[in-house]
Coordinates of all heavy atoms in Angstrom, one line a residue:
M1 N 11.1 -24.3 17.4 CA 11.0 -22.9 17.6 C 9.6 -22.5 17.1 O 9.1 -22.9 16.1 CB 12.1 -22.2 16.6 CG 12.4 -20.8 17.0 SD 13.7 -20.0 16.0 CE 15.2 -20.9 16.4
D2 N 8.9 -21.6 17.9 CA 7.6 -21.1 17.6 C 7.7 -19.9 16.7 O 8.8 -19.3 16.5 CB 6.7 -21.0 18.8 CG 7.2 -19.8 19.7 OD1 8.0 -19.0 19.3 OD2 6.6 -19.7 20.8
E3 N 6.5 -19.4 16.3 CA 6.5 -18.2 15.4 C 7.1 -17.0 16.0 O 7.8 -16.3 15.2 CB 5.0 -17.9 15.0 CG 4.8 -16.9 14.0 CD 3.3 -16.7 13.6 OE1 2.6 -17.7 13.5 OE2 3.0 -15.6 13.3
E4 N 6.9 -16.7 17.3 CA 7.4 -15.5 17.9 C 9.0 -15.6 18.0 O 9.7 -14.6 17.7 CB 6.9 -15.4 19.3 CG 5.5 -14.9 19.4 CD 5.0 -14.6 20.8 OE1 5.8 -14.4 21.7 OE2 3.8 -14.7 20.9
E5 N 9.5 -16.8 18.1 CA 11.0 -16.9 18.2 C 11.6 -16.7 16.8 O 12.6 -16.1 16.7 CB 11.3 -18.3 18.7 CG 11.1 -18.5 20.2 CD 11.4 -19.9 20.7 OE1 10.7 -20.8 20.2 OE2 12.3 -20.1 21.4
F6 N 10.9 -17.2 15.7 CA 11.3 -17.0 14.4 C 11.3 -15.5 14.1 O 12.2 -15.0 13.4 CB 10.5 -17.8 13.4 CG 10.8 -19.2 13.2 CD1 10.0 -20.2 13.5 CD2 12.1 -19.6 12.7 CE1 10.3 -21.6 13.3 CE2 12.5 -20.9 12.5 CZ 11.6 -21.9 12.9
E7 N 10.2 -14.9 14.5 CA 10.1 -13.4 14.2 C 11.3 -12.7 14.9 O 11.9 -11.7 14.3 CB 8.8 -12.9 14.7 CG 8.5 -11.4 14.3 CD 7.1 -11.0 14.5 OE1 6.3 -11.8 14.8 OE2 6.9 -9.8 14.4
K8 N 11.6 -13.0 16.1 CA 12.6 -12.3 16.9 C 14.0 -12.6 16.2 O 14.7 -11.6 16.0 CB 12.7 -12.9 18.3 CG 13.7 -12.2 19.2 CD 13.8 -12.8 20.6 CE 14.9 -12.1 21.3 NZ 15.1 -12.7 22.7
V9 N 14.3 -13.8 15.8 CA 15.5 -14.1 15.1 C 15.6 -13.3 13.8 O 16.6 -12.7 13.4 CB 15.6 -15.6 14.9 CG1 16.8 -15.9 14.0 CG2 15.9 -16.3 16.2
G10 N 14.5 -13.3 13.0 CA 14.5 -12.6 11.8 C 14.8 -11.1 11.9 O 15.5 -10.5 11.2
N11 N 14.1 -10.5 13.0 CA 14.4 -9.1 13.2 C 15.8 -8.8 13.7 O 16.4 -7.8 13.3 CB 13.4 -8.6 14.3 CG 12.0 -8.4 13.8 OD1 11.8 -8.3 12.6 ND2 11.1 -8.4 14.7
E12 N 16.4 -9.8 14.4 CA 17.8 -9.6 14.8 C 18.7 -9.7 13.6 O 19.7 -9.0 13.5 CB 18.2 -10.6 15.8 CG 17.6 -10.5 17.2 CD 17.7 -11.6 18.2 OE1 18.3 -12.6 17.8 OE2 17.3 -11.5 19.3
L13 N 18.4 -10.6 12.6 CA 19.2 -10.7 11.5 C 19.0 -9.5 10.6 O 20.1 -9.1 10.0 CB 18.7 -12.0 10.7 CG 19.1 -13.3 11.3 CD1 18.5 -14.4 10.5 CD2 20.6 -13.5 11.3
L14 N 17.8 -8.9 10.5 CA 17.7 -7.6 9.7 C 18.5 -6.5 10.3 O 19.1 -5.7 9.6 CB 16.2 -7.3 9.7 CG 15.3 -8.1 8.8 CD1 13.9 -7.8 9.0 CD2 15.7 -7.8 7.3
L15 N 18.5 -6.4 11.7 CA 19.2 -5.4 12.3 C 20.7 -5.6 12.0 O 21.4 -4.6 11.7 CB 18.9 -5.3 13.8 CG 19.7 -4.3 14.6 CD1 19.4 -2.9 14.1 CD2 19.3 -4.5 16.1
T16 N 21.1 -6.8 12.2 CA 22.6 -7.1 11.9 C 23.0 -6.7 10.5 O 24.0 -6.0 10.2 CB 23.0 -8.6 12.1 OG1 22.6 -8.8 13.5 CG2 24.4 -8.9 11.9
A17 N 22.1 -7.1 9.5 CA 22.4 -6.8 8.1 C 22.4 -5.3 7.9 O 23.3 -4.8 7.2 CB 21.3 -7.4 7.2
T18 N 21.5 -4.6 8.5 CA 21.5 -3.1 8.4 C 22.8 -2.5 9.0 O 23.2 -1.5 8.4 CB 20.2 -2.6 9.0 OG1 19.1 -3.2 8.5 CG2 20.1 -1.1 8.9
K19 N 23.2 -3.0 10.1 CA 24.4 -2.5 10.7 C 25.7 -2.8 9.8 O 26.6 -2.0 9.7 CB 24.6 -3.0 12.1 CG 23.6 -2.5 13.1 CD 23.8 -3.0 14.5 CE 23.0 -2.4 15.5 NZ 23.1 -3.0 16.8
L20 N 25.7 -4.0 9.3 CA 26.9 -4.4 8.5 C 27.0 -3.6 7.2 O 28.0 -3.3 6.6 CB 26.8 -5.9 8.2 CG 27.2 -6.8 9.4 CD1 26.9 -8.3 8.9 CD2 28.5 -6.7 9.8
E21 N 25.8 -3.3 6.6 CA 25.7 -2.6 5.3 C 24.8 -1.4 5.5 O 23.7 -1.4 4.9 CB 25.3 -3.5 4.2 CG 26.3 -4.5 3.8 CD 26.0 -5.2 2.5 OE1 25.5 -4.6 1.5 OE2 26.2 -6.4 2.5
P22 N 25.1 -0.3 6.2 CA 24.2 0.7 6.5 C 23.8 1.5 5.3 O 22.7 2.2 5.3 CB 25.0 1.7 7.4 CG 26.4 1.3 7.2 CD 26.4 -0.1 6.8
D23 N 24.5 1.4 4.1 CA 24.1 2.1 2.9 C 23.2 1.3 2.1 O 22.7 1.7 1.0 CB 25.3 2.4 2.1 CG 26.2 3.5 2.8 OD1 25.7 4.3 3.6 OD2 27.4 3.5 2.5
N24 N 22.8 0.0 2.4 CA 21.9 -0.8 1.7 C 20.5 -0.4 2.0 O 19.9 -0.7 3.1 CB 22.2 -2.3 2.0 CG 21.4 -3.2 1.1 OD1 20.3 -3.0 0.8 ND2 22.1 -4.3 0.7
I25 N 19.9 0.3 1.1 CA 18.6 0.8 1.3 C 17.5 -0.2 1.4 O 16.5 -0.1 2.1 CB 18.2 1.9 0.2 CG1 16.9 2.6 0.6 CG2 18.1 1.3 -1.1 CD1 16.9 3.4 1.9
I26 N 17.7 -1.4 0.7 CA 16.8 -2.5 0.7 C 16.8 -3.1 2.2 O 15.7 -3.3 2.8 CB 17.1 -3.6 -0.3 CG1 16.9 -3.0 -1.6 CG2 16.2 -4.8 -0.1 CD1 17.3 -3.9 -2.8
Y27 N 17.9 -3.3 2.8 CA 18.0 -3.8 4.2 C 17.3 -2.8 5.1 O 16.5 -3.2 6.0 CB 19.4 -4.0 4.7 CG 20.2 -5.1 4.0 CD1 21.5 -5.2 4.1 CD2 19.5 -6.0 3.2 CE1 22.3 -6.2 3.6 CE2 20.3 -7.1 2.6 CZ 21.6 -7.2 2.8 OH 22.4 -8.2 2.3
K28 N 17.6 -1.5 4.9 CA 17.0 -0.5 5.8 C 15.5 -0.5 5.7 O 14.8 -0.4 6.7 CB 17.6 0.9 5.4 CG 17.0 2.0 6.2 CD 17.7 3.3 5.8 CE 17.1 4.5 6.6 NZ 17.7 5.8 6.2
M29 N 15.0 -0.5 4.5 CA 13.5 -0.5 4.3 C 12.9 -1.7 4.9 O 11.8 -1.6 5.7 CB 13.2 -0.6 2.8 CG 11.7 -0.7 2.5 SD 11.4 -1.1 0.8 CE 12.0 -2.8 0.6
V30 N 13.4 -2.9 4.7 CA 12.8 -4.1 5.3 C 12.9 -4.1 6.8 O 12.0 -4.4 7.5 CB 13.5 -5.4 4.8 CG1 13.0 -6.7 5.5 CG2 13.3 -5.5 3.3
Y31 N 14.0 -3.6 7.4 CA 14.2 -3.5 8.8 C 13.2 -2.5 9.4 O 12.4 -2.8 10.3 CB 15.6 -3.1 9.3 CG 15.7 -2.8 10.7 CD1 15.6 -3.8 11.6 CD2 15.7 -1.6 11.3 CE1 15.6 -3.7 13.0 CE2 15.8 -1.3 12.6 CZ 15.7 -2.4 13.5 OH 15.8 -2.2 14.8
L32 N 13.0 -1.3 8.8 CA 12.1 -0.3 9.3 C 10.6 -0.9 9.2 O 9.8 -0.6 10.0 CB 12.1 0.9 8.5 CG 13.4 1.8 8.8 CD1 13.5 3.0 7.9 CD2 13.4 2.3 10.2
G33 N 10.4 -1.6 8.1 CA 9.0 -2.2 8.0 C 8.7 -3.3 9.0 O 7.5 -3.6 9.3
S34 N 9.8 -3.9 9.7 CA 9.6 -4.9 10.6 C 9.4 -4.3 12.1 O 9.0 -5.1 13.0 CB 10.7 -5.9 10.6 OG 11.9 -5.4 11.1
V35 N 9.8 -3.1 12.2 CA 9.8 -2.5 13.5 C 8.4 -1.9 13.8 O 8.0 -1.0 13.0 CB 10.9 -1.4 13.7 CG1 10.8 -0.7 15.0 CG2 12.2 -2.1 13.5
L36 N 7.7 -2.3 14.9 CA 6.4 -1.8 15.1 C 6.2 -0.4 15.3 O 5.3 0.3 14.9 CB 5.8 -2.6 16.2 CG 5.5 -4.1 16.0 CD1 5.0 -4.8 17.3 CD2 4.6 -4.3 14.9
N37 N 7.2 0.2 16.0 CA 7.1 1.6 16.4 C 8.0 2.5 15.5 O 8.4 3.6 15.9 CB 7.5 1.8 17.9 CG 8.9 1.3 18.2 OD1 9.5 0.7 17.4 ND2 9.3 1.6 19.4
A38 N 8.3 2.1 14.3 CA 9.2 2.8 13.4 C 8.4 4.0 12.9 O 7.2 4.0 12.7 CB 9.6 2.0 12.2
D39 N 9.1 5.1 12.8 CA 8.5 6.3 12.2 C 8.1 6.1 10.8 O 8.9 5.7 9.9 CB 9.5 7.4 12.3 CG 9.0 8.8 11.9 OD1 8.3 8.9 10.9 OD2 9.4 9.8 12.5
Q40 N 6.8 6.2 10.5 CA 6.3 5.9 9.2 C 6.8 6.8 8.1 O 6.9 6.4 7.0 CB 4.7 6.0 9.2 CG 4.1 4.9 9.9 CD 4.4 3.5 9.3 OE1 4.1 3.2 8.2 NE2 5.2 2.7 10.1
Q41 N 7.2 8.0 8.5 CA 7.9 8.9 7.5 C 9.2 8.4 7.0 O 9.5 8.4 5.8 CB 8.1 10.3 8.1 CG 8.7 11.3 7.1 CD 8.9 12.7 7.8 OE1 8.4 13.0 8.8 NE2 9.6 13.5 7.0
F42 N 10.0 7.8 7.9 CA 11.3 7.2 7.6 C 11.1 6.0 6.8 O 11.7 5.7 5.8 CB 12.1 6.9 8.9 CG 12.7 8.1 9.5 CD1 12.5 8.3 10.9 CD2 13.3 9.1 8.8 CE1 13.0 9.4 11.6 CE2 13.8 10.3 9.5 CZ 13.6 10.4 10.9
Y43 N 10.1 5.2 7.1 CA 9.8 4.0 6.4 C 9.3 4.3 5.0 O 9.8 3.7 4.1 CB 8.7 3.1 7.2 CG 8.2 1.9 6.3 CD1 9.1 0.9 6.0 CD2 6.9 1.8 5.8 CE1 8.7 -0.2 5.2 CE2 6.5 0.8 5.0 CZ 7.4 -0.2 4.8 OH 7.1 -1.3 4.0
R44 N 8.4 5.3 4.9 CA 7.9 5.6 3.5 C 9.1 6.2 2.7 O 9.1 5.9 1.5 CB 6.8 6.7 3.8 CG 5.8 6.8 2.8 CD 5.0 5.5 2.8 NE 4.7 5.3 1.3 CZ 4.6 4.1 0.7 NH1 4.6 3.1 1.4 NH2 4.3 4.0 -0.6
Q45 N 10.0 7.0 3.3 CA 11.1 7.5 2.5 C 12.0 6.3 2.1 O 12.4 6.3 0.9 CB 11.9 8.4 3.4 CG 13.1 9.0 2.7 CD 13.9 10.0 3.6 OE1 13.4 10.3 4.7 NE2 15.0 10.3 3.2
A46 N 12.3 5.3 2.9 CA 13.0 4.1 2.5 C 12.3 3.3 1.4 O 13.0 2.9 0.5 CB 13.3 3.3 3.8
V47 N 11.0 3.2 1.5 CA 10.3 2.5 0.4 C 10.5 3.2 -0.9 O 10.8 2.6 -1.9 CB 8.8 2.4 0.8 CG1 8.0 2.0 -0.5 CG2 8.5 1.5 1.9
N48 N 10.4 4.5 -0.9 CA 10.6 5.3 -2.1 C 12.0 5.2 -2.7 O 12.2 5.0 -3.9 CB 10.2 6.8 -1.9 CG 8.7 7.0 -1.7 OD1 7.9 6.3 -2.3 ND2 8.4 7.9 -0.9
E49 N 13.0 5.3 -1.8 CA 14.4 5.2 -2.2 C 14.8 3.8 -2.6 O 15.6 3.6 -3.6 CB 15.3 5.6 -1.1 CG 15.2 7.1 -0.7 CD 16.1 7.4 0.5 OE1 16.9 6.6 1.0 OE2 15.9 8.6 1.0
A50 N 14.2 2.8 -2.1 CA 14.5 1.4 -2.4 C 13.8 0.8 -3.7 O 14.4 -0.1 -4.3 CB 14.1 0.4 -1.3
A51 N 12.8 1.5 -4.1 CA 12.1 1.0 -5.3 C 13.0 0.7 -6.5 O 12.9 -0.4 -7.1 CB 10.9 1.9 -5.6
S52 N 13.7 1.7 -6.9 CA 14.5 1.5 -8.1 C 15.6 0.5 -7.9 O 15.9 -0.3 -8.8 CB 15.1 2.8 -8.6 OG 15.9 3.4 -7.6
K53 N 16.2 0.5 -6.7 CA 17.2 -0.5 -6.4 C 16.7 -2.0 -6.4 O 17.3 -2.9 -6.8 CB 17.8 -0.2 -5.0 CG 19.0 -1.1 -4.7 CD 20.1 -0.7 -5.6 CE 21.4 -1.5 -5.2 NZ 22.5 -1.3 -6.2
V54 N 15.4 -2.1 -6.0 CA 14.8 -3.5 -6.0 C 14.6 -3.9 -7.4 O 15.0 -5.0 -7.8 CB 13.4 -3.4 -5.2 CG1 12.6 -4.7 -5.5 CG2 13.6 -3.2 -3.7
K55 N 14.1 -3.0 -8.2 CA 13.9 -3.4 -9.7 C 15.2 -3.7 -10.4 O 15.2 -4.6 -11.2 CB 13.1 -2.2 -10.3 CG 11.6 -2.2 -10.0 CD 11.0 -1.2 -11.0 CE 9.5 -1.4 -10.9 NZ 8.8 -0.5 -11.9
E56 N 16.3 -2.9 -10.0 CA 17.6 -3.2 -10.6 C 18.2 -4.4 -10.1 O 18.7 -5.2 -11.0 CB 18.5 -2.0 -10.2 CG 19.9 -2.1 -10.7 CD 20.8 -1.0 -10.1 OE1 20.3 0.1 -10.0 OE2 22.0 -1.4 -9.8
T57 N 18.1 -4.7 -8.8 CA 18.8 -5.8 -8.2 C 18.1 -7.2 -8.7 O 18.7 -8.2 -8.9 CB 18.8 -5.7 -6.7 OG1 19.5 -4.6 -6.4 CG2 19.5 -6.8 -6.1
F58 N 16.7 -7.1 -8.8 CA 16.0 -8.3 -9.1 C 15.3 -8.2 -10.4 O 14.1 -8.4 -10.5 CB 14.9 -8.6 -7.9 CG 15.7 -8.7 -6.6 CD1 15.6 -7.7 -5.7 CD2 16.4 -9.8 -6.2 CE1 16.3 -7.8 -4.4 CE2 17.0 -9.9 -5.0 CZ 17.0 -8.9 -4.1
S59 N 16.1 -7.9 -11.4 CA 15.6 -7.6 -12.7 C 15.5 -8.9 -13.6 O 14.9 -8.8 -14.7 CB 16.4 -6.6 -13.4 OG 17.7 -7.0 -13.6
G60 N 16.0 -10.0 -13.1 CA 16.0 -11.2 -13.9 C 14.6 -11.8 -14.1 O 13.6 -11.3 -13.6
I61 N 14.5 -12.8 -15.0 CA 13.2 -13.4 -15.3 C 12.8 -14.6 -14.6 O 11.7 -15.1 -14.7 CB 13.1 -13.7 -16.8 CG1 14.2 -14.7 -17.2 CG2 13.2 -12.4 -17.7 CD1 14.1 -15.2 -18.7
G62 N 13.7 -15.1 -13.7 CA 13.4 -16.3 -12.9 C 12.5 -16.0 -11.8 O 12.1 -14.9 -11.5
C63 N 12.1 -17.2 -11.2 CA 11.0 -17.2 -10.2 C 11.5 -16.4 -8.9 O 10.8 -15.7 -8.3 CB 10.7 -18.6 -9.8 SG 9.8 -19.5 -11.0
L64 N 12.8 -16.6 -8.5 CA 13.3 -16.0 -7.4 C 13.3 -14.4 -7.5 O 13.0 -13.7 -6.7 CB 14.6 -16.5 -7.0 CG 14.7 -17.8 -6.2 CD1 16.1 -18.3 -6.0 CD2 13.9 -17.7 -4.9
N65 N 13.7 -14.0 -8.7 CA 13.7 -12.6 -9.0 C 12.3 -12.0 -8.9 O 12.1 -11.0 -8.3 CB 14.4 -12.2 -10.4 CG 15.9 -12.2 -10.3 OD1 16.4 -11.4 -9.6 ND2 16.5 -13.3 -11.0
R66 N 11.4 -12.7 -9.5 CA 10.0 -12.3 -9.5 C 9.5 -12.3 -8.0 O 8.8 -11.3 -7.6 CB 9.1 -13.2 -10.3 CG 7.7 -12.7 -10.5 CD 6.9 -13.5 -11.5 NE 6.8 -14.9 -11.2 CZ 7.2 -15.9 -11.9 NH1 7.8 -15.6 -13.1 NH2 7.0 -17.1 -11.5
Y67 N 9.8 -13.3 -7.2 CA 9.4 -13.3 -5.8 C 9.9 -12.1 -5.1 O 9.2 -11.4 -4.4 CB 9.9 -14.6 -5.2 CG 9.8 -14.6 -3.7 CD1 8.5 -14.8 -3.1 CD2 10.8 -14.4 -2.9 CE1 8.4 -14.8 -1.7 CE2 10.7 -14.3 -1.5 CZ 9.5 -14.5 -0.9 OH 9.3 -14.5 0.5
F68 N 11.2 -11.8 -5.2 CA 11.8 -10.7 -4.4 C 11.3 -9.4 -4.9 O 11.1 -8.5 -4.1 CB 13.3 -10.8 -4.5 CG 13.9 -11.8 -3.6 CD1 14.6 -12.9 -4.1 CD2 13.7 -11.7 -2.2 CE1 15.1 -13.8 -3.2 CE2 14.3 -12.6 -1.4 CZ 14.9 -13.7 -1.9
R69 N 10.9 -9.3 -6.2 CA 10.3 -8.0 -6.7 C 9.0 -7.8 -6.0 O 8.6 -6.7 -5.6 CB 10.2 -8.0 -8.2 CG 11.5 -7.6 -8.9 CD 11.2 -7.3 -10.4 NE 10.5 -8.3 -11.1 CZ 11.0 -9.3 -11.7 NH1 12.3 -9.5 -11.8 NH2 10.2 -10.3 -12.3
Q70 N 8.2 -8.9 -5.9 CA 6.9 -8.8 -5.3 C 7.0 -8.5 -3.9 O 6.1 -7.8 -3.3 CB 6.1 -10.2 -5.5 CG 5.7 -10.4 -7.0 CD 5.1 -11.8 -7.1 OE1 5.2 -12.7 -6.2 NE2 4.5 -12.0 -8.3
V71 N 7.9 -9.1 -3.2 CA 8.0 -8.9 -1.7 C 8.6 -7.5 -1.4 O 8.2 -6.9 -0.5 CB 8.8 -10.0 -1.1 CG1 9.2 -9.7 0.4 CG2 8.0 -11.3 -1.2
L72 N 9.6 -7.1 -2.2 CA 10.4 -5.9 -1.8 C 10.0 -4.6 -2.5 O 10.3 -3.5 -2.0 CB 11.9 -6.2 -2.0 CG 12.5 -7.3 -1.2 CD1 13.9 -7.6 -1.7 CD2 12.4 -7.0 0.3
Y73 N 9.3 -4.7 -3.6 CA 8.8 -3.5 -4.2 C 7.5 -3.1 -3.6 O 6.5 -3.7 -3.8 CB 8.7 -3.7 -5.8 CG 8.4 -2.4 -6.5 CD1 9.4 -1.6 -6.9 CD2 7.1 -2.0 -6.8 CE1 9.2 -0.4 -7.6 CE2 6.8 -0.8 -7.5 CZ 7.9 0.0 -7.8 OH 7.7 1.1 -8.5
R74 N 7.6 -2.0 -2.8 CA 6.5 -1.7 -1.9 C 5.8 -0.3 -2.2 O 4.9 0.1 -1.5 CB 6.9 -1.7 -0.5 CG 7.5 -3.0 0.0 CD 8.0 -3.0 1.4 NE 8.5 -4.3 1.7 CZ 8.9 -4.7 2.9 NH1 8.9 -3.8 3.9 NH2 9.3 -5.9 3.1
L75 N 6.1 0.2 -3.4 CA 5.4 1.5 -3.7 C 4.0 1.4 -3.9 O 3.2 2.3 -3.6 CB 6.1 2.1 -5.0 CG 7.4 2.8 -4.8 CD1 7.8 3.3 -6.1 CD2 7.3 3.9 -3.8
D76 N 3.5 0.2 -4.4 CA 2.1 0.0 -4.6 C 1.3 -0.5 -3.4 O 0.1 -0.7 -3.4 CB 1.9 -1.0 -5.7 CG 2.4 -0.6 -7.0 OD1 2.6 0.7 -7.2 OD2 2.9 -1.4 -7.8
K77 N 2.1 -0.7 -2.3 CA 1.5 -1.3 -1.0 C 1.4 -0.2 0.0 O 2.2 0.8 0.0 CB 2.4 -2.4 -0.5 CG 2.5 -3.6 -1.5 CD 3.4 -4.6 -0.8 CE 3.6 -5.7 -1.9 NZ 4.5 -6.8 -1.3
K78 N 0.4 -0.3 0.8 CA 0.2 0.7 1.9 C 1.3 0.4 3.0 O 1.5 -0.7 3.3 CB -1.1 0.6 2.5 CG -2.2 1.1 1.5 CD -3.6 1.1 2.2 CE -4.7 1.6 1.2 NZ -5.9 1.6 1.8
A79 N 1.8 1.5 3.5 CA 2.8 1.4 4.6 C 2.1 1.3 5.9 O 1.1 1.8 6.1 CB 3.8 2.5 4.5

């Protein structure tokens, strides 16, 4: 599988996760961030809403928690 195929599968999985759990703001944020033509206002709103949930969900001290905080906490990153 090449990079484009992996990206397509990843986007399909994000869409499925978002549909299965529409109230999960982290899934919504990541999905909106992966869509090239997503409305930046909706993405920015999702980033703001997800920030506290990311910190709460991945509050542990282990490497995986630190990794997910770095990847998913996007307030300090440009949208």
Side-chain angles (χ1 to χ4, degrees):
M1 200 179 293
D2 67 9
E3 187 175 324
E4 286 182 26
E5 289 175 295
F6 277 119
E7 186 173 349
K8 182 181 176 188
V9 169
N11 287 338
E12 289 170 358
L13 290 171
L14 284 171
L15 179 58
T16 299
T18 302
K19 286 180 178 178
L20 289 173
E21 291 190 42
D23 293 334
N24 188 316
I25 190 60
I26 296 173
Y27 291 168
K28 179 179 179 180
M29 174 193 66
V30 174
Y31 176 71
L32 289 173
S34 73
V35 176
L36 293 177
N37 59 351
D39 184 318
Q40 288 301 298
Q41 180 180 350
F42 290 131
Y43 173 67
R44 210 60 218 150
Q45 182 179 350
V47 166
N48 289 329
E49 291 175 13
S52 62
K53 188 68 174 172
V54 168
K55 283 188 166 185
E56 174 189 326
T57 302
F58 303 103
S59 62
I61 60 172
C63 290
L64 282 176
N65 279 293
R66 188 170 61 238
Y67 168 78
F68 283 114
R69 279 193 310 270
Q70 288 175 349
V71 170
L72 297 174
Y73 187 83
R74 300 180 179 184
L75 281 182
D76 301 330
K77 300 177 183 180
K78 292 182 180 181

